[in-house]
Amino acid sequence: MNDGEPPGSASIEAPHQASSMSSSGAVEDYDGDRRLAELVAPPLERARQAGRVAAGVTVDDVALALRMIYGAAATARDGDQRRLDVEQAHAVVTAPWF
């Protein structure tokens, strides 16, 4: 506990706060892409083997799809629009591309 903080409170530093940032604002030592790849690669391979995903779909494709869905959610005007936009984006990125 730091002096001046109320009892029971603790300073919690998010991992990105301790990172250095480039002049563009990007976190230089961000490892989210690597961590996402580690999470996505095994189920993506299982989906490929099961014929649920085209053979050419990559982890980068999945990451792009997630960013597209996030973009739809983040820019919606309200909750109802957000729900509709995310549903539509999800339908687009999960449509069969065989």
Side-chain angles (χ1 to χ4, degrees), residues 27-40 59 63:
V27 178
E28 292 177 353
D29 57 351
Y30 174 74
D31 71 341
D33 294 330
R34 179 192 55 78
R35 290 183 295 137
L36 179 63
E38 290 174 358
L39 290 170
V40 169
V59 169

Side-chain angles (χ1 to χ4, degrees), residues 39-49 53-54 57-60 62:
L39 290 170
V40 169
L44 178 60
E45 183 56 33
R46 288 191 302 272
R48 277 193 214 111
Q49 291 176 4
V53 176
V57 175
T58 67
V59 169
D60 288 339
V62 174

Side-chain angles (χ1 to χ4, degrees), residues 14-94:
H16 69 275
Q17 291 175 328
S19 302
S20 58
M21 299 196 59
S22 70
S23 60
S24 69
V27 178
E28 292 177 353
D29 57 351
Y30 174 74
D31 71 341
D33 294 330
R34 179 192 55 78
R35 290 183 295 137
L36 179 63
E38 290 174 358
L39 290 170
V40 169
L44 178 60
E45 183 56 33
R46 288 191 302 272
R48 277 193 214 111
Q49 291 176 4
R52 297 187 54 129
V53 176
V57 175
T58 67
V59 169
D60 288 339
D61 295 330
V62 174
L64 176 60
L66 291 171
R67 288 195 312 271
M68 291 168 60
I69 293 171
Y70 172 79
T75 59
R77 292 181 295 282
D78 57 40
D80 290 336
Q81 188 65 50
R82 179 173 298 107
R83 182 181 49 77
L84 294 171
D85 290 350
V86 168
E87 287 174 359
Q88 184 176 1
H90 180 264
V92 168
V93 301
T94 59

